Amino acid sequence: MQIYTLAIQIGNLHPLFVHLPIGILIFAFILELYLRNRTSKETTQITKLAIGVAAISALLSLGTGWLLGEDGSYDEVALFRHRWMAVGLTVCSVALYILKISPVVWCKKTYMPLFVITLILLGITGHLGGNMTHGEDFLFQDNTIKEIVITDVNKAKVYAEIIQPILDNKCVSCHNPNKAKGELLLTDPTTIVAGGENGSILDSIDSNPSSFYTRIHLPVTDEEHMPPKGKVQLTDEEIVLLKWWLENKNCFDCTAGFLDKNEQTAAILKSLETDTSPRGIITKTVDDVPSEWVTEMNRNGYSIYPIAENRKLLLVNLSNKKHIAKGDFNKLKKYANNIVELNLAYSNFTDEMASALSNFKNLTKLQLQRTAISDKTIEKLKKMSFLESLNLYGTHVSGNSLSYVKDLAHLKNLYLYQTPVTESELLAFKKERPNILTKHVADSLFNEALLNKPYFVDATDFFNDGQEIKIEHVFKTANLFYTTDGSEPDTTSRKYTSPFTIKESTTLKVFAQKKDWKQSETVTMKFKKAGIAYDSIWLDIKPNKSYAGKGAKTLIDLKRGSENFQDGHWLGFQGSSFTTTLELKQPTQISTVSIGSLSRQSSWVFHPVGYTIWTSETPNDFKQIATKKIEIPKKVTNDSQIFYDITFAPTTAKYIKIEVQSILKNPSWHPNPGGKSWVFVDEIIVN
């Protein structure tokens, strides 16, 4: 058994030797052609050396390859062909060297023909070897990845759409018809159920987990771990999904919505969904719009609002403006691809300005009601492939415009009340595009049921002396009600009438209300006072180089990190706590230290489990003044960003030392218990 294992280990050197004869023989042949009329003693010695090394490497490749084939992982017919073609190639390589060094005349005449035959054998042998490793259709197969798009994960087939893609990406390269390690195939349900040389991989034995479950959870350094060390490993999320599938009796025909799942699994499954709507597609192709640009444009008379919290998609509202010029649209060109809604209703927009709309190819909603446009403007919209809603109420468009909009693939709503379009023209249009909802009725039906959320203008997470709070809504007549104590607002709360200033840390909540409309969702924003000036900051250990931000200064740059911990605003530490020291510009009385952290347990990121605060008026004599212990989570919790406040009796300090205590290792209930966990911190505020 030990001899067999040693033989297989030697055989594993085959990939190291197999490419040597290929490269050297091709190089030697090119060298022979190049030096054919330039023969000298030195050049002859060079080609002899090249052919000799090629022969030796062919022997090594043949020997190690022969041993590698003994592990039973390869198709027998393919292995037989490859082996004996390799034998022929090796024999020819050795013979080639003998002919090269021989002074006999007939040897010299036979040398080049044999060289050609050797190269042919080299090509055939290499092709057969490639077929065994990569599949018979490797050279000519379509290598484009056929992405499985899941729009509703509850309707997704668990095996075909969730599990098999994981196996294809991480397991099938070693468990396919051409290379079946352990006689195990993982290419389809039948072969998976059949198992390998050790029997079923799915069945539990004596209440122990199945071998499949056990192997994917072993440490990477374990010889039994799958995928083996050196291969691309399963992600934490993939391991959770495989475990979920196994726990549900490895069902091959079920849909995800019918299987039990915990919060973590549900969240991972939800992340598999792809938003195939126009806005979902656009979001993937554009970058965030700087808030500074939006602020500057709004100061110059525009009304621009982010559609989503990530600030990628924008709504531009120019309704009721009577002095719009073509140049106004040019100023929007910089981020035209981010603009998905454009409201020009009741404005002075005309056909003469219509050419400017060609810049806004990603519009999903365009409102042109009560403008002086005609069919000429609608003709300019033919390339707006994402357009879903078009409001032409009260315009001069005729039935001719319907020929322009009928080819807009995503169009769902078309408003034509009080236009020259006739009922017969509309009826003919509906026969061609029955999926478009055409509204040829009163303008009152154009209203959306739910109000858009209000927006904070020029707001930042942190402020020093005071923060002006300015709130706006798309509808200027909407009523805005808010609270500043973190409680939920209602119509009895304060009504927003004009900007106001806050002086202390505040949690502000606001919603919009308008007659005949459903009130908007509540918007929450937390403002943190950062009134104390820092002189410097340093860390006792360096953060992980992948999450180092701008070093220690990341913690005092007054910029919150996002849910994406790779955004450059987080400092990440794996498997360790850390201490940071702040130096204030001058001794100051303080009573609160606030620290922002992130939790994303699926990525091994946990909130700190405790903090300790020391202060001093000198660089050395620190005195502990506060500690805060935080309970270790006992189960999976949702991703979150939290600011922890550590309060203490007012004390005067110039230096503040803060220890951030990590959980260090994943808890026992985690899918990867004992793994080195992460702690991420983005900002420290002292008051």
PDB file of all heavy atoms in Angstrom, residues 232-251:
ATOM      1  N   VAL A 232      -9.634  26.125  -6.488  1.00  0.00           N
ATOM      2  CA  VAL A 232     -10.500  27.212  -6.020  1.00  0.00           C
ATOM      3  C   VAL A 232     -11.473  26.644  -5.001  1.00  0.00           C
ATOM      4  O   VAL A 232     -12.183  25.665  -5.277  1.00  0.00           O
ATOM      5  CB  VAL A 232     -11.265  27.859  -7.190  1.00  0.00           C
ATOM      6  CG1 VAL A 232     -12.184  28.959  -6.675  1.00  0.00           C
ATOM      7  CG2 VAL A 232     -10.289  28.426  -8.214  1.00  0.00           C
ATOM      8  N   GLN A 233     -11.512  27.261  -3.812  1.00  0.00           N
ATOM      9  CA  GLN A 233     -12.300  26.720  -2.708  1.00  0.00           C
ATOM     10  C   GLN A 233     -13.749  27.215  -2.739  1.00  0.00           C
ATOM     11  O   GLN A 233     -14.080  28.235  -3.344  1.00  0.00           O
ATOM     12  CB  GLN A 233     -11.658  27.117  -1.378  1.00  0.00           C
ATOM     13  CG  GLN A 233     -10.267  26.532  -1.172  1.00  0.00           C
ATOM     14  CD  GLN A 233     -10.280  25.013  -1.140  1.00  0.00           C
ATOM     15  OE1 GLN A 233     -10.987  24.392  -0.344  1.00  0.00           O
ATOM     16  NE2 GLN A 233      -9.499  24.405  -2.027  1.00  0.00           N
ATOM     17  N   LEU A 234     -14.602  26.456  -2.083  1.00  0.00           N
ATOM     18  CA  LEU A 234     -15.999  26.869  -1.903  1.00  0.00           C
ATOM     19  C   LEU A 234     -16.052  28.107  -1.024  1.00  0.00           C
ATOM     20  O   LEU A 234     -15.300  28.221  -0.053  1.00  0.00           O
ATOM     21  CB  LEU A 234     -16.806  25.746  -1.254  1.00  0.00           C
ATOM     22  CG  LEU A 234     -16.999  24.464  -2.069  1.00  0.00           C
ATOM     23  CD1 LEU A 234     -17.454  23.331  -1.164  1.00  0.00           C
ATOM     24  CD2 LEU A 234     -17.997  24.677  -3.189  1.00  0.00           C
ATOM     25  N   THR A 235     -16.939  29.033  -1.344  1.00  0.00           N
ATOM     26  CA  THR A 235     -17.136  30.191  -0.485  1.00  0.00           C
ATOM     27  C   THR A 235     -18.002  29.801   0.706  1.00  0.00           C
ATOM     28  O   THR A 235     -18.651  28.745   0.708  1.00  0.00           O
ATOM     29  CB  THR A 235     -17.810  31.337  -1.249  1.00  0.00           C
ATOM     30  OG1 THR A 235     -19.155  30.933  -1.605  1.00  0.00           O
ATOM     31  CG2 THR A 235     -17.031  31.690  -2.517  1.00  0.00           C
ATOM     32  N   ASP A 236     -18.020  30.652   1.722  1.00  0.00           N
ATOM     33  CA  ASP A 236     -18.865  30.382   2.892  1.00  0.00           C
ATOM     34  C   ASP A 236     -20.323  30.242   2.476  1.00  0.00           C
ATOM     35  O   ASP A 236     -21.055  29.387   2.984  1.00  0.00           O
ATOM     36  CB  ASP A 236     -18.724  31.521   3.913  1.00  0.00           C
ATOM     37  CG  ASP A 236     -17.320  31.604   4.476  1.00  0.00           C
ATOM     38  OD1 ASP A 236     -16.630  30.579   4.466  1.00  0.00           O
ATOM     39  OD2 ASP A 236     -16.932  32.699   4.921  1.00  0.00           O
ATOM     40  N   GLU A 237     -20.743  31.107   1.549  1.00  0.00           N
ATOM     41  CA  GLU A 237     -22.130  31.077   1.102  1.00  0.00           C
ATOM     42  C   GLU A 237     -22.440  29.771   0.377  1.00  0.00           C
ATOM     43  O   GLU A 237     -23.518  29.188   0.556  1.00  0.00           O
ATOM     44  CB  GLU A 237     -22.429  32.273   0.191  1.00  0.00           C
ATOM     45  CG  GLU A 237     -22.446  33.623   0.898  1.00  0.00           C
ATOM     46  CD  GLU A 237     -21.053  34.185   1.144  1.00  0.00           C
ATOM     47  OE1 GLU A 237     -20.061  33.557   0.693  1.00  0.00           O
ATOM     48  OE2 GLU A 237     -20.953  35.237   1.801  1.00  0.00           O
ATOM     49  N   GLU A 238     -21.508  29.301  -0.448  1.00  0.00           N
ATOM     50  CA  GLU A 238     -21.727  28.041  -1.173  1.00  0.00           C
ATOM     51  C   GLU A 238     -21.808  26.863  -0.214  1.00  0.00           C
ATOM     52  O   GLU A 238     -22.618  25.947  -0.404  1.00  0.00           O
ATOM     53  CB  GLU A 238     -20.601  27.839  -2.199  1.00  0.00           C
ATOM     54  CG  GLU A 238     -20.692  28.791  -3.383  1.00  0.00           C
ATOM     55  CD  GLU A 238     -19.454  28.748  -4.272  1.00  0.00           C
ATOM     56  OE1 GLU A 238     -18.385  28.326  -3.781  1.00  0.00           O
ATOM     57  OE2 GLU A 238     -19.556  29.150  -5.440  1.00  0.00           O
ATOM     58  N   ILE A 239     -20.978  26.870   0.829  1.00  0.00           N
ATOM     59  CA  ILE A 239     -21.023  25.795   1.825  1.00  0.00           C
ATOM     60  C   ILE A 239     -22.379  25.788   2.538  1.00  0.00           C
ATOM     61  O   ILE A 239     -22.973  24.730   2.766  1.00  0.00           O
ATOM     62  CB  ILE A 239     -19.877  25.953   2.842  1.00  0.00           C
ATOM     63  CG1 ILE A 239     -18.531  25.681   2.160  1.00  0.00           C
ATOM     64  CG2 ILE A 239     -20.064  25.016   4.029  1.00  0.00           C
ATOM     65  CD1 ILE A 239     -17.321  25.956   3.032  1.00  0.00           C
ATOM     66  N   VAL A 240     -22.882  26.968   2.872  1.00  0.00           N
ATOM     67  CA  VAL A 240     -24.195  27.062   3.524  1.00  0.00           C
ATOM     68  C   VAL A 240     -25.276  26.486   2.614  1.00  0.00           C
ATOM     69  O   VAL A 240     -26.161  25.743   3.060  1.00  0.00           O
ATOM     70  CB  VAL A 240     -24.510  28.529   3.886  1.00  0.00           C
ATOM     71  CG1 VAL A 240     -25.970  28.665   4.333  1.00  0.00           C
ATOM     72  CG2 VAL A 240     -23.591  29.022   4.992  1.00  0.00           C
ATOM     73  N   LEU A 241     -25.222  26.809   1.318  1.00  0.00           N
ATOM     74  CA  LEU A 241     -26.245  26.321   0.384  1.00  0.00           C
ATOM     75  C   LEU A 241     -26.154  24.808   0.199  1.00  0.00           C
ATOM     76  O   LEU A 241     -27.185  24.124   0.139  1.00  0.00           O
ATOM     77  CB  LEU A 241     -26.094  27.025  -0.963  1.00  0.00           C
ATOM     78  CG  LEU A 241     -26.429  28.520  -0.974  1.00  0.00           C
ATOM     79  CD1 LEU A 241     -26.143  29.128  -2.339  1.00  0.00           C
ATOM     80  CD2 LEU A 241     -27.878  28.766  -0.583  1.00  0.00           C
ATOM     81  N   LEU A 242     -24.945  24.267   0.132  1.00  0.00           N
ATOM     82  CA  LEU A 242     -24.793  22.812   0.009  1.00  0.00           C
ATOM     83  C   LEU A 242     -25.298  22.101   1.259  1.00  0.00           C
ATOM     84  O   LEU A 242     -25.983  21.064   1.181  1.00  0.00           O
ATOM     85  CB  LEU A 242     -23.321  22.463  -0.246  1.00  0.00           C
ATOM     86  CG  LEU A 242     -22.764  22.847  -1.622  1.00  0.00           C
ATOM     87  CD1 LEU A 242     -21.255  22.637  -1.657  1.00  0.00           C
ATOM     88  CD2 LEU A 242     -23.439  22.055  -2.729  1.00  0.00           C
ATOM     89  N   LYS A 243     -24.991  22.660   2.417  1.00  0.00           N
ATOM     90  CA  LYS A 243     -25.466  22.088   3.677  1.00  0.00           C
ATOM     91  C   LYS A 243     -26.991  22.117   3.725  1.00  0.00           C
ATOM     92  O   LYS A 243     -27.640  21.134   4.123  1.00  0.00           O
ATOM     93  CB  LYS A 243     -24.883  22.881   4.850  1.00  0.00           C
ATOM     94  CG  LYS A 243     -25.377  22.415   6.219  1.00  0.00           C
ATOM     95  CD  LYS A 243     -24.832  23.325   7.319  1.00  0.00           C
ATOM     96  CE  LYS A 243     -25.400  22.919   8.679  1.00  0.00           C
ATOM     97  NZ  LYS A 243     -24.955  23.850   9.755  1.00  0.00           N
ATOM     98  N   TRP A 244     -27.579  23.230   3.301  1.00  0.00           N
ATOM     99  CA  TRP A 244     -29.051  23.370   3.280  1.00  0.00           C
ATOM    100  C   TRP A 244     -29.673  22.326   2.365  1.00  0.00           C
ATOM    101  O   TRP A 244     -30.688  21.702   2.702  1.00  0.00           O
ATOM    102  CB  TRP A 244     -29.382  24.789   2.826  1.00  0.00           C
ATOM    103  CG  TRP A 244     -30.804  25.027   2.427  1.00  0.00           C
ATOM    104  CD1 TRP A 244     -31.895  25.044   3.241  1.00  0.00           C
ATOM    105  CD2 TRP A 244     -31.288  25.302   1.112  1.00  0.00           C
ATOM    106  NE1 TRP A 244     -33.034  25.313   2.521  1.00  0.00           N
ATOM    107  CE2 TRP A 244     -32.680  25.483   1.211  1.00  0.00           C
ATOM    108  CE3 TRP A 244     -30.687  25.433  -0.127  1.00  0.00           C
ATOM    109  CZ2 TRP A 244     -33.475  25.771   0.099  1.00  0.00           C
ATOM    110  CZ3 TRP A 244     -31.465  25.735  -1.234  1.00  0.00           C
ATOM    111  CH2 TRP A 244     -32.837  25.889  -1.115  1.00  0.00           C
ATOM    112  N   TRP A 245     -29.050  22.104   1.207  1.00  0.00           N
ATOM    113  CA  TRP A 245     -29.559  21.109   0.263  1.00  0.00           C
ATOM    114  C   TRP A 245     -29.483  19.709   0.860  1.00  0.00           C
ATOM    115  O   TRP A 245     -30.441  18.927   0.768  1.00  0.00           O
ATOM    116  CB  TRP A 245     -28.749  21.200  -1.029  1.00  0.00           C
ATOM    117  CG  TRP A 245     -29.109  20.196  -2.073  1.00  0.00           C
ATOM    118  CD1 TRP A 245     -30.319  20.027  -2.683  1.00  0.00           C
ATOM    119  CD2 TRP A 245     -28.240  19.207  -2.636  1.00  0.00           C
ATOM    120  NE1 TRP A 245     -30.254  19.014  -3.600  1.00  0.00           N
ATOM    121  CE2 TRP A 245     -28.996  18.488  -3.598  1.00  0.00           C
ATOM    122  CE3 TRP A 245     -26.901  18.874  -2.441  1.00  0.00           C
ATOM    123  CZ2 TRP A 245     -28.443  17.442  -4.349  1.00  0.00           C
ATOM    124  CZ3 TRP A 245     -26.347  17.845  -3.193  1.00  0.00           C
ATOM    125  CH2 TRP A 245     -27.116  17.135  -4.131  1.00  0.00           C
ATOM    126  N   LEU A 246     -28.375  19.382   1.492  1.00  0.00           N
ATOM    127  CA  LEU A 246     -28.216  18.055   2.092  1.00  0.00           C
ATOM    128  C   LEU A 246     -29.210  17.843   3.232  1.00  0.00           C
ATOM    129  O   LEU A 246     -29.771  16.758   3.386  1.00  0.00           O
ATOM    130  CB  LEU A 246     -26.785  17.876   2.600  1.00  0.00           C
ATOM    131  CG  LEU A 246     -25.688  17.820   1.522  1.00  0.00           C
ATOM    132  CD1 LEU A 246     -24.316  17.917   2.165  1.00  0.00           C
ATOM    133  CD2 LEU A 246     -25.812  16.545   0.692  1.00  0.00           C
ATOM    134  N   GLU A 247     -29.411  18.891   4.039  1.00  0.00           N
ATOM    135  CA  GLU A 247     -30.344  18.777   5.169  1.00  0.00           C
ATOM    136  C   GLU A 247     -31.779  18.590   4.700  1.00  0.00           C
ATOM    137  O   GLU A 247     -32.614  18.069   5.432  1.00  0.00           O
ATOM    138  CB  GLU A 247     -30.239  20.012   6.057  1.00  0.00           C
ATOM    139  CG  GLU A 247     -28.932  20.078   6.853  1.00  0.00           C
ATOM    140  CD  GLU A 247     -28.795  21.363   7.634  1.00  0.00           C
ATOM    141  OE1 GLU A 247     -29.541  22.317   7.336  1.00  0.00           O
ATOM    142  OE2 GLU A 247     -27.929  21.423   8.538  1.00  0.00           O
ATOM    143  N   ASN A 248     -32.064  19.020   3.488  1.00  0.00           N
ATOM    144  CA  ASN A 248     -33.399  18.832   2.912  1.00  0.00           C
ATOM    145  C   ASN A 248     -33.438  17.606   2.009  1.00  0.00           C
ATOM    146  O   ASN A 248     -34.113  17.592   0.969  1.00  0.00           O
ATOM    147  CB  ASN A 248     -33.818  20.082   2.138  1.00  0.00           C
ATOM    148  CG  ASN A 248     -34.299  21.200   3.049  1.00  0.00           C
ATOM    149  OD1 ASN A 248     -35.434  21.209   3.514  1.00  0.00           O
ATOM    150  ND2 ASN A 248     -33.396  22.151   3.331  1.00  0.00           N
ATOM    151  N   LYS A 249     -32.675  16.585   2.403  1.00  0.00           N
ATOM    152  CA  LYS A 249     -32.658  15.281   1.742  1.00  0.00           C
ATOM    153  C   LYS A 249     -32.205  15.381   0.295  1.00  0.00           C
ATOM    154  O   LYS A 249     -32.695  14.661  -0.574  1.00  0.00           O
ATOM    155  CB  LYS A 249     -34.041  14.618   1.845  1.00  0.00           C
ATOM    156  CG  LYS A 249     -34.483  14.380   3.286  1.00  0.00           C
ATOM    157  CD  LYS A 249     -35.840  13.717   3.359  1.00  0.00           C
ATOM    158  CE  LYS A 249     -36.253  13.491   4.815  1.00  0.00           C
ATOM    159  NZ  LYS A 249     -37.590  12.865   4.929  1.00  0.00           N
ATOM    160  N   ASN A 250     -31.276  16.283   0.056  1.00  0.00           N
ATOM    161  CA  ASN A 250     -30.689  16.479  -1.280  1.00  0.00           C
ATOM    162  C   ASN A 250     -31.710  16.279  -2.403  1.00  0.00           C
ATOM    163  O   ASN A 250     -31.525  15.473  -3.320  1.00  0.00           O
ATOM    164  CB  ASN A 250     -29.465  15.587  -1.500  1.00  0.00           C
ATOM    165  CG  ASN A 250     -29.582  14.193  -0.914  1.00  0.00           C
ATOM    166  OD1 ASN A 250     -29.196  13.984   0.227  1.00  0.00           O
ATOM    167  ND2 ASN A 250     -30.100  13.255  -1.685  1.00  0.00           N
ATOM    168  N   CYS A 251     -32.759  17.068  -2.314  1.00  0.00           N
ATOM    169  CA  CYS A 251     -33.861  16.970  -3.269  1.00  0.00           C
ATOM    170  C   CYS A 251     -33.406  17.486  -4.641  1.00  0.00           C
ATOM    171  O   CYS A 251     -32.843  18.574  -4.748  1.00  0.00           O
ATOM    172  CB  CYS A 251     -35.047  17.785  -2.767  1.00  0.00           C
ATOM    173  SG  CYS A 251     -36.460  17.766  -3.891  1.00  0.00           S
TER     174      CYS A 251
END
